[in-house]
Amino acid sequence: MSALLTTAGCDRKDMRLEPVSAEAYRAFLASRTGSDLNPGFLQCPSWAEVKGGWHARLLGWGPRTGPGAGELSGVALVLLRQFPGTRKYFAYLPEGPVADWSDPDLDGWLGPLLRHLRGAGAFAVRIGPSPAYRRWDAATLKTATGPGRRVTDVLASEVDPLGAAVAERLRARGWRRCGGDEGDGDAQPRYVFQVPLAGRDTDDLWSGLNQEWRRNIRRAQRSGVEVTEGGAAELPDFYRLLCVTEARDGFRLGRSLAYYERQYAALNAEEPGRMRLYLARHQGEILAAHTMITVGRRVWYQTGASADHRREVRPSNALQWRMMLDAHARGAEVYDMRGVPASLDPGDRPFGLLRWKLGTGGQVVETLGEWETPLDGTANHTLYRAFQMYLARR
């Protein structure tokens, strides 16, 4: 760990901020304190190895004095992207920092971070606070579909008071929510789908699936679909099916096979089994492949791919059920199926993805999304406006 950085001007004189080693960072994430902050995989040190074209910094906070002196209380993976033609950087903390967002003294740890990044040459910062904002149960949304309807048209099943408080605190400090209410400007999904696992047994998970999901899983089993865990050698099969899926469903992730190979190697070097590849075979042929990532008590279904043919044997349903059971067996509290569209219009093509995930009986969760602020100084504000125009033209 390097020498302590100054936090002069910070409201809390007992708070320190400093670069930390990858080992110290990972140890914090694995600790009880770190795990309680619900870190996401995008804040793991290994993610810096996945994202090409960015410079990475690992930072940590902790009390300067008292019983916890010398220990970490929060960490941040910061990705720095140089603005073309300048020596200035855009700082991005994907789904981070990993910090105590319930702390009423937000400036006590956020202020030192901004000052450090300004000193590192950053002209603006984007963060992704971890608290949820609103939740909608699957049963509520199933009855609310219709032409032109959106998730935000439906009264939420739950509004998270912490998320609402954090949003107000950020606004009061001049932060701007990217993409407005819909989150179109977010790099990470604003709306995600989560299946709660804590306190449930496998029978409860099964009964939580709708009839169509249970029928499709049974159909896959009767048809002889075999679900296994693959490895790096099967990543080309996964990527081939992903290209088929993109063409069929009309989206483009823009990632290469090398990207997924780098991701698989980096995450599993950090912790064996952190990223897993699940395969569904029928009559010896791989018909579907999905990736799963685990950090602490959270599990994510990251990316899914499937063939165009023999879809009637329902390989993707079989894969998801196996992954959900494995997540439950590993002690995960949440099975996160990642992004979903906000549309509840059956006529919208993206709605099909939401409809499929609603069948698991989970919840649509609106996260706080991503927030940006330019750093102090006229030049930084000017460069930030230029950066926004640059992004708009890309």
Side-chain angles (χ1 to χ4, degrees):
M1 193 173 291
S2 69
L4 196 66
L5 293 174
T6 179
T7 57
C10 175
D11 292 342
R12 288 164 56 180
K13 303 299 183 181
D14 64 333
M15 181 65 69
R16 77 186 197 280
L17 171 71
E18 58 190 15
V20 297
S21 68
E23 291 75 20
Y25 193 113
R26 284 192 286 265
F28 174 75
L29 293 184
S31 70
R32 179 61 182 269
T33 301
S35 182
D36 285 346
L37 296 177
N38 295 314
F41 66 90
L42 299 179
Q43 278 291 295
C44 288
S46 56
W47 198 249
E49 302 176 44
V50 177
K51 301 301 292 180
W54 297 78
H55 304 287
R57 290 196 176 205
L58 300 178
L59 303 174
W61 295 269
R64 189 187 298 273
T65 60
E71 299 180 359
L72 294 175
S73 59
V75 292
L77 166 64
V78 182
L79 300 175
L80 298 168
R81 168 84 74 170
Q82 190 170 7
F83 186 56
T86 76
R87 295 183 179 180
K88 303 287 282 185
Y89 296 87
F90 179 74
Y92 179 39
L93 288 72
E95 297 188 0
V98 182
D100 183 8
W101 290 97
S102 66
D103 186 347
D105 184 12
L106 200 66
D107 295 321
W109 54 266
L110 194 54
L113 172 66
L114 298 183
R115 281 190 291 277
H116 172 81
L117 294 177
R118 188 174 186 272
F123 64 88
V125 181
R126 176 183 288 202
I127 59 175
S130 60
Y133 186 44
R134 291 183 289 185
R135 300 174 186 270
W136 292 265
D137 293 334
T140 300
L141 294 179
K142 286 177 185 177
T143 61
T145 60
R149 297 277 286 171
R150 302 187 66 78
V151 170
T152 49
D153 295 329
V154 182
L155 184 66
S157 305
E158 177 187 345
V159 177
D160 191 308
L162 175 58
V166 170
E168 288 307 310
R169 290 171 185 169
L170 290 174
R171 286 193 186 97
R173 288 157 177 80
W175 289 80
R176 180 184 67 87
R177 198 182 194 194
C178 302
D181 292 334
E182 295 301 328
D184 295 336
D186 291 348
Q188 306 304 325
R190 170 79 60 87
Y191 297 91
V192 299
F193 196 88
Q194 296 180 351
V195 180
L197 301 180
R200 304 175 68 185
D201 58 24
T202 55
D203 289 339
D204 188 35
L205 293 178
W206 177 256
S207 64
L209 304 176
N210 68 13
Q211 290 185 354
E212 182 181 3
W213 264 78
R214 293 197 295 268
R215 183 170 60 249
N216 288 341
I217 292 169
R218 292 191 184 103
R219 181 178 299 162
Q221 293 169 341
R222 289 195 303 268
S223 300
V225 173
E226 179 186 11
V227 176
T228 60
E229 188 175 334
E234 285 78 28
L235 284 173
D237 295 295
F238 160 76
Y239 187 72
R240 172 180 53 81
L241 291 173
L242 181 59
C243 293
V244 171
T245 304
E246 289 178 339
R248 179 182 67 237
D249 294 344
F251 68 92
R252 175 68 175 156
L253 294 176
R255 294 166 184 158
S256 65
L257 172 59
Y259 174 90
Y260 291 102
E261 290 174 332
R262 186 167 66 249
Q263 183 185 111
Y264 189 86
L267 269 62
N268 287 322
E270 183 171 66
E271 180 177 308
R274 170 145 288 167
M275 180 175 177
R276 295 170 181 254
L277 175 65
Y278 286 81
L279 309 170
R281 287 184 173 87
H282 183 251
Q283 297 177 356
E285 181 184 2
I286 298 175
L287 293 182
H290 295 179
T291 58
M292 187 174 91
I293 298 177
T294 301
V295 179
R297 300 191 295 270
R298 297 177 66 189
V299 166
W300 294 263
Y301 155 49
Q302 188 197 21
T303 306
S306 61
D308 281 342
H309 59 287
R310 274 187 263 167
R311 295 171 64 80
E312 71 278 0
V313 300
R314 304 300 181 182
S316 292
N317 294 93
L319 273 179
Q320 284 299 309
W321 179 236
R322 165 69 182 276
M323 291 164 66
M324 199 180 299
L325 291 179
D326 283 3
H328 181 268
R330 290 165 70 94
E333 296 180 350
V334 173
Y335 182 66
D336 193 320
M337 301 181 78
R338 293 294 281 170
V340 290
S343 174
L344 292 175
D345 188 340
D348 286 347
R349 188 172 187 177
F351 173 74
L353 177 64
L354 175 57
R355 179 185 178 277
W356 185 69
K357 293 182 180 182
L358 286 173
T360 63
Q363 299 175 320
V364 170
V365 178
E366 181 186 6
T367 70
L368 280 183
E370 297 186 330
W371 297 70
E372 283 183 0
T373 188
L375 295 177
D376 291 343
T378 302
N380 286 334
H381 281 253
T382 301
L383 195 54
Y384 177 58
R385 289 193 294 271
F387 183 69
Q388 289 177 306
M389 290 188 288
Y390 166 75
L391 291 179
R393 293 194 302 265
R394 292 182 63 186

